[in-house]
Amino acid sequence: MQLSFKSVIVGAISGIATYFISIYALGYTAALAMPKDFSLALWDSIVVFGLGALLVAFAIHYAALRILRVQSFPSFAAFLVAVIAALGITGLLSTGGNALAAWALGALLASLAVNWQRSNNSCLGSAINS
């Protein structure tokens, strides 16, 4: 039970940290100059929200999961609740769908990467010890 509570706290903190750090990252990536004949929607998806939101969420959530060794699912759920609550409190929930999707995808990829690494390490450890 204690591990799940720790997982929820870590997920919520990583979600809030992602929200505040992404504000600056989204500003910097939105200020990058788009090439002349590039699609605006594709530029926003890859550069602005890919680098400014998805990559930030992946890095923060991945580091939190790896350093603090918590469960992925409760932490991911708490991450989502935290970023939705942060958007709701600031009044940006109706316009922050792109950022929310990028944060959710980044945190999901981080959770999957940590689970994949943990499963590989446990199999490798048992094979070496045999």
Side-chain angles (χ1 to χ4, degrees), residues 3-4 8 16 25 33 41 54 58-59 80 89-90 102 105 113 121-122:
L3 188 59
S4 294
V8 169
I16 292 169
L54 187 139
F58 178 84
L80 288 179
I89 290 169
T90 57
L105 185 59
N121 289 341
S122 64

Side-chain angles (χ1 to χ4, degrees), residues 5-19:
F5 181 71
K6 181 181 173 184
S7 299
V8 169
I9 297 299
V10 167
I13 290 172
S14 69
I16 292 169
T18 298
Y19 175 79

Side-chain angles (χ1 to χ4, degrees), residues 19-20 23 84-93:
Y19 175 79
F20 285 110
I23 291 171
I84 291 170
L87 284 173
I89 290 169
T90 57
L92 298 173
L93 190 56

